[in-house]
Each structure stands twice: as structure tokens, then as C-alpha cells.
């Protein structure tokens, strides 16, 4: 393809205090084999050198635009600001998180799949995270999966973890490309303020479109203590996100009895997690305020009786089946090496953290 016949792509990097890695991220975009794109960097009132780095590159390449927020906004709000800055000429939209980077063929390969499959609203790929390859489980060589099928898989499936990292799911923002018309259909493409709203977006927008997948490693995810994923793991936000997504989108993809079972499983896992922390760990007020608040929002207010009931059930399980003691239960709820546990759709989503 020549530049004139290539569909136009908006590449977006929402970023907050990303000076340590932003230059590498920008360089990876500039090294794309695909030529017909704009690159919008949205600075969220950074207090380090983020804005200066972005402006330096913008002065060197006319495809780069820098937007500087006048006021600091939350992570998801900053992403939605970026989506709304997308060019009206764009046919595809690609997020690249500020501490990630994409490999040279990334945009070209994803656009190629999109052009061959017009009903693919969201396109994913393999993502390297440290030495772990994420977003596995799709059946090669099927490049396109119906939205209903892939959403059912995520709502009903079993998650696999390696080194605390989820291998299954739609992907993270850097590993996904969106059809621009899908993004334009709402002022808030990421539909809720959860740090894992990218997963919720997939469940919402795949109702009427398909999911495409490129069987290549096209991007790299950097993990470090400051990311939203690290914070989410510390307080386990995934449990409330799983329940929230089931309540909001489960009825679109699951039969009534399937949905009831999955909600019960999610609630049981959530209560077990909290019971383990109540009886065996020292957690601060912030931890309990978060989980009590989330459960109340979702219509399942937490009581001390809930924790005692779950704790008693666990003791009974231990009596019947030694090996499910609280210590081992806790390890099961915090998997490390190749453990299997109920599906916690991520997201994404991790890099919401830097943005």
C-alpha cells in the first residue's frame, strides 16, 4: 500500500508523569512501517518532563500533536479526552500507553486485518509483558471471532496466570486497535471510571461487531510498581470489576441461569477474598472503604455476618478436605505460577495507570 491509499489512523498516548519512558514510546510510533497516521499525546498536568519531551518530538514531526490538559483529570477521563481528540478523518484508533511501546509492524498488521474484515470493531494481538506472552487462547488461524462468542468466553471462562499476570482476555489498551466509528459513537468510549474500563468497553462495543486477532507479538508492556495493574493487584480491584461487568453486560451474552451462576461465583470469590484478609491479614481503612463501597454500589452491601459465614464455610471445607486451610486458600486467591482461577477480565488493562 502507498501512503495515499492507506486508511488514516489516530494513535493516542494519554500520559501522566511519563518522562522515564515516553521517549521510547514515541520512538516506537515513529518507527512504524505504516505511514498514514497522526499521533496525539495528551499530557495530564504532568509535574516531570513529560510535556517538554512531547513538545520536542512534535517540533520534529508534523504528525505529532500535543494536547496539554488545563486541569488534572482521572485516568479514564484522560483516555476519553484522547479519544475525542481523534481526527475526523481517522478510520482506526490505536492507543499506546506512555510506558509501553509497539513493534514496527504493529499498526500495519492490525490495519491489514481490519481492512480484510470490515465487521471487526476491535482488533487484538499478542503482547510481550516481561518474558510472558499475554492474550493467548484464540484458535489459530481464525482471525475473526463473533463479538458474542468472545464476550461469552470472557464472562464464562477460566483465567490462567503466570507470575501474577493474566494470559487470557481481550487485551490491554496497547494491544488493541479500535475502529474509529465505534469510538465516535459515544463521548465516553471507556464507559465507566474503573481503571479496567478498557475491558468493559470491549464487552459494551462488541455487542454488534466482531473481534479480530493478529497472531503476532506486536507490542511490549512494561510493568513496574507505579502502574495501575500493580495497585489493582494490591487491593484486588479485579473482583469488583468482574461483578460489575457481569451485572452490566452479562445479560447480553449469557442465558439467565448462566448469568445467575456467574454472579454467584463472582460474589463467592469476592467474599472469600475479603474473609481471608479480614481474618489473616492487616488491611488499612482505604482497603476496606474501597471494597465496602464497591459492593454497596453494586447492590451487595458487605456485612460482618458475610465474612463470618464465609470463614465458617472455609473451616468446614478444611475439615472435609484438608488442604483448603486459610493459608492455602490465600495462595489460591493470589496466584503466582501458572495457577488457574475464576476469570478476572483485565484489562486491561493495566496502563491506565500512567495516564
Amino acid at each position: 500500500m502507498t501512503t495515499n491509499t492507506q486508511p488514516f489512523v489516530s494513535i493516542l498516548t494519554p500520559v501522566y508523569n511519563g518522562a522515564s519512558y515516553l521517549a521510547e514510546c514515541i520512538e516506537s510510533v515513529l518507527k512504524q512501517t505504516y505511514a498514514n497516521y497522526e499521533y496525539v499525546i495528551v499530557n495530564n498536568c504532568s509535574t516531570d518532563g513529560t510535556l517538554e519531551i512531547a513538545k520536542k518530538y512534535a517540533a520534529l514531526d508534523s504528525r505529532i500533536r500535543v494536547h496539554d490538559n488545563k486541569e488534572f483529570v482521572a485516568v479514564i477521563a484522560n483516555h476519553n479526552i484522547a479519544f475525542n481528540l481523534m481526527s475526523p478523518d481517522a478510520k482506526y484508533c490505536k492507543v499506546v500507553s506512555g510506558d509501553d511501546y509497539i513493534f514496527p509492524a504493529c499498526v500495519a498488521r492490525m490495519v491489514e486485518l481490519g481492512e480484510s474484515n470490515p465487521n471487526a470493531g476491535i482488533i487484538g494481538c499478542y503482547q510481550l509483558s516481561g518474558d510472558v506472552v499475554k492474550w493467548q487462547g484464540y484458535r489459530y488461524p481464525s482471525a475473526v471471532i463473533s463479538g458474542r462468542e468472545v464476550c461469552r468466553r470472557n464472562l464464562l471462562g477460566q483465567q490462567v496466570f503466570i507470575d501474577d499476570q493474566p494470559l487470557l482476555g481481550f487485551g490491554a489498551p496497547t494491544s488493541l486497535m479500535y475502529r474509529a466509528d465505534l469510538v465516535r459513537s459515544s463521548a465516553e468510549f471507556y464507559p465507566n471510571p474503573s481503571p479496567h474500563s478498557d475491558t468493559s468497553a470491549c464487552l459494551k462495543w462488541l455487542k454488534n461487531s466482531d473481534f479480530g486477532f493478529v497472531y503476532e507479538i506486536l507490542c511490549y508492556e512494561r510493568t513496574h510498581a507505579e502502574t495501575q495493574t500493580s495497585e489493582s493487584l494490591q487491593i484486588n480491584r479485579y473482583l469488583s470489576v468482574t461483578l460489575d461487568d457481569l451485572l452490566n453486560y452479562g445479560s447480553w451474552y449469557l442465558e439467565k441461569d448462566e448469568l445467575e451462576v456467574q454472579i454467584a461465583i463472582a460474589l463467592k470469590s469476592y467474599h472469600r477474598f475479603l474473609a481471608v484478609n479480614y481474618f489473616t491479614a492487616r488491611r488499612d481503612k482505604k482497603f476496606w472503604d474501597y471494597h465496602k463501597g464497591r459492593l454497596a454500589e453494586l447492590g451487595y452491601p458487605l456485612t460482618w455476618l458475610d465474612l463470618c459465614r464465609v470463614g465458617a464455610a472455609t473451616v468446614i471445607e478444611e475439615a472435609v478436605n484438608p488442604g483448603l486451610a486459610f493459608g492455602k486458600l490465600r495462595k489460591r486467591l493470589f496466584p503466582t505460577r501458572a495457577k488457574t482461577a475464576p476469570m478476572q477480565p483485565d484489562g486491561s488493562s493495566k496502563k491506565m495507570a500512567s495516564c
Side-chain angles (χ1 to χ4, degrees), residues 292-326:
K292 288 170 67 177
R294 286 295 287 141
L295 281 167
E297 288 172 10
L298 296 172
Y300 297 94
L302 180 68
T303 67
W304 183 79
L305 185 59
D306 292 325
L307 298 179
C308 290
R309 186 184 298 116
V310 172
T314 304
V315 170
I316 293 172
E317 286 184 33
E318 168 61 17
V320 174
N321 182 9
L324 287 182
F326 260 63

Side-chain angles (χ1 to χ4, degrees), residues 95-112:
V95 174
V96 184
S97 296
D99 42 4
D100 291 346
Y101 55 84
I102 53 179
F103 296 125
C106 180
V107 174
R109 295 292 290 117
M110 298 182 98
V111 169
E112 180 182 351

Side-chain angles (χ1 to χ4, degrees), residues 156-232:
L156 292 172
Q158 290 292 108
Q159 182 60 276
V160 175
F161 292 86
I162 292 183
D163 290 339
D164 293 333
Q165 298 195 60
L167 297 192
L168 307 181
F170 299 108
T174 299
S175 72
L176 296 173
M177 176 177 280
Y178 310 111
R179 201 167 287 272
D181 286 347
L182 210 61
V183 175
R184 293 190 189 99
S185 62
S186 173
E188 296 184 342
F189 180 68
Y190 284 170
N192 58 58
S194 162
H196 312 290
S197 190
D198 55 312
T199 292
S200 303
C202 290
L203 290 166
K204 179 175 181 178
W205 301 111
L206 286 172
K207 183 179 182 181
N208 298 309
S209 62
D210 293 335
F211 182 77
F213 194 81
V214 181
Y215 294 90
E216 297 178 29
I217 299 173
L218 297 178
C219 56
Y220 180 82
E221 173 188 50
R222 180 179 279 106
T223 58
H224 51 87
E226 289 75 29
T227 66
Q228 196 68 45
T229 292
S230 297
E231 184 177 346
S232 289

Side-chain angles (χ1 to χ4, degrees), residues 17-168:
N17 281 0
S20 298
Y21 309 111
L22 183 59
E24 187 175 16
C25 172
I26 295 172
E27 292 282 355
S28 78
V29 173
L30 297 179
K31 291 176 181 176
Q32 291 301 294
T33 60
Y34 197 88
N36 196 26
Y37 66 84
E38 66 169 354
Y39 186 24
V40 183
I41 301 170
V42 182
N43 174 51
N44 192 17
C45 299
S46 298
T47 57
D48 61 2
T50 293
L51 182 59
E52 289 72 21
I53 293 169
K55 286 183 173 180
K56 182 186 81 170
Y57 279 97
L60 298 173
D61 195 310
S62 61
R63 294 173 297 184
I64 300 176
R65 288 193 286 129
V66 178
H67 176 84
D68 189 26
N69 290 345
K70 299 306 180 186
E71 296 181 357
F72 180 82
V73 298
V75 172
I76 296 303
N78 200 36
H79 276 74
N80 284 327
I81 287 172
F83 288 132
N84 283 290
L85 290 170
M86 179 178 60
S87 168
D89 296 326
K91 188 172 183 179
Y92 297 96
C93 175
K94 178 82 189 79
V95 174
V96 184
S97 296
D99 42 4
D100 291 346
Y101 55 84
I102 53 179
F103 296 125
C106 180
V107 174
R109 295 292 290 117
M110 298 182 98
V111 169
E112 180 182 351
L113 188 147
E115 289 298 278
S116 300
N117 301 276
N119 202 46
I122 300 176
I123 300 163
C125 66
Y126 292 135
Q127 179 177 41
L128 189 62
S129 181
D131 58 358
V132 174
V133 177
K134 297 175 70 171
W135 318 127
Q136 301 179 36
Y138 298 101
R139 294 183 178 178
Y140 180 85
S142 298
V144 178
I145 310 155
S146 76
R148 175 177 170 79
E149 180 182 341
V150 73
C151 289
R152 278 181 59 81
R153 164 196 149 143
N154 275 270
L155 293 171
L156 292 172
Q158 290 292 108
Q159 182 60 276
V160 175
F161 292 86
I162 292 183
D163 290 339
D164 293 333
Q165 298 195 60
L167 297 192
L168 307 181

